[in-house]
Amino acid sequence: TAPGRTAIAHAEEVEARVHALDFALEAERGQGPGALAITVPPLVANADFAADIAVFRARHPGIVLSLLGDNRVLNLHRREADVALRVSHSPAESLWGRIIARQRAGWFASRDYIEAHQAVLSGEDRQRPLPYVAFTAWTAPRPAALEARFPGAVPVIESDDMITALNLARAGQVMVRAPCLIGAGDAVLIRVPGLALIDYAPIWAVTHPDLRRVPRVAEFIRFIAARFAARAETYFGPDG
């Protein structure tokens, strides 16, 4: 109803002012230990990240960490998290942060898959089908560079989830395009020969501009950026 829309407009204005007050107060009082909520995509929160958190906790025992493993883009303006690690070409312009790791992606498959399709991968048979999994988020389901190298490449499965796609590749059904962080770190999958690495969305650490000078927020972003930089090859790949 019209009165309902009026009420919503006023409520949203009140909510925005309350959040602004919350950020202003946090900036004033956030000089010491306290809580710190961090949101991170589950696939980025691997064993290396767990080691990062262990070191950070040892250095800052007074900071109470809350880790939110979520692929959703949590709203930092609504204080759903204090710091977000995001895989993105362009995180929200209203946030403040930095790139902590540049990434590339490659094609990965099981050893059984590569052995079964050796004739195609070696160039002896350019017409035999080379099955791969495509992602619903792709603007084009048939990557031009892949088809140029292997004309017989065909998307036999489409998925909206990386974990599902990786499991299909581990089972030897398909090859999958994945960031080096995920593909090269997999115990079952190996790089598909003959396909170069390509640019992939970088990893950012971002926060609300009003929180960037809160010591525990600034310290975590500085810390995690240094940790990720120390293992840059994990994200960018070995041959670049």
Side-chain angles (χ1 to χ4, degrees):
T1 63
R5 287 192 291 272
T6 300
I8 288 173
H10 283 280
E12 289 176 341
E13 181 178 345
V14 170
E15 181 187 47
R17 293 178 66 86
V18 169
H19 285 306
L21 173 61
D22 183 40
F23 284 120
L25 292 176
E26 184 64 42
E28 293 285 343
R29 69 191 178 208
Q31 301 307 307
L36 184 64
I38 303 160
T39 176
V40 54
L43 289 174
V44 175
N46 60 2
D48 287 332
F49 181 76
D52 297 339
I53 295 301
V55 173
F56 186 82
R57 290 184 62 240
R59 292 183 184 178
H60 306 281
I63 298 178
V64 180
L65 292 179
S66 174
L67 297 179
L68 310 172
D70 206 322
N71 284 317
R72 294 180 301 126
V73 179
L74 299 186
N75 192 332
L76 302 192
H77 292 282
R78 296 173 64 94
R79 204 70 189 277
E80 293 179 345
D82 299 312
V83 177
L85 300 191
R86 288 184 177 169
V87 178
S88 174
H89 286 293
S90 55
E93 293 181 0
S94 58
L95 299 176
W96 179 91
R98 58 187 291 189
I99 291 175
I100 61 174
R102 297 193 179 277
Q103 296 197 98
R104 291 193 298 174
W107 287 93
F108 297 88
S110 69
R111 294 184 184 277
D112 289 344
Y113 176 97
I114 291 176
E115 290 178 4
H117 297 86
Q118 186 58 43
V120 179
L121 296 173
S122 65
E124 296 177 11
D125 185 349
R126 293 180 57 83
Q127 299 303 319
R128 184 180 173 188
L130 188 66
Y132 66 92
V133 59
F135 289 97
T136 56
W138 288 357
T139 54
R142 305 177 73 90
L146 175 63
E147 290 202 59
R149 180 69 179 83
F150 298 115
V154 56
V156 296
I157 300 175
E158 190 176 54
S159 175
D160 67 346
D161 177 65
M162 179 65 73
I163 293 177
T164 301
L166 290 170
N167 284 332
L168 293 170
R170 292 182 189 115
Q173 299 184 44
V174 292
M175 62 180 185
V176 60
R177 193 173 76 185
C180 289
L181 166 65
I182 299 168
D186 194 278
V188 175
L189 303 180
I190 59 176
R191 279 269 307 276
V192 176
L195 289 169
L197 297 176
I198 62 171
D199 288 338
Y200 194 77
I203 303 174
W204 292 72
V206 294
T207 187
H208 190 281
D210 291 345
L211 296 182
R212 66 191 179 101
R213 290 188 176 89
V214 172
R216 60 181 178 274
V217 172
E219 172 60 16
F220 180 79
I221 292 178
R222 183 206 63 77
F223 168 83
I224 204 67
R227 297 284 294 192
F228 273 57
R231 51 177 186 267
E233 187 176 292
T234 299
Y235 308 97
F236 198 71
D239 54 353

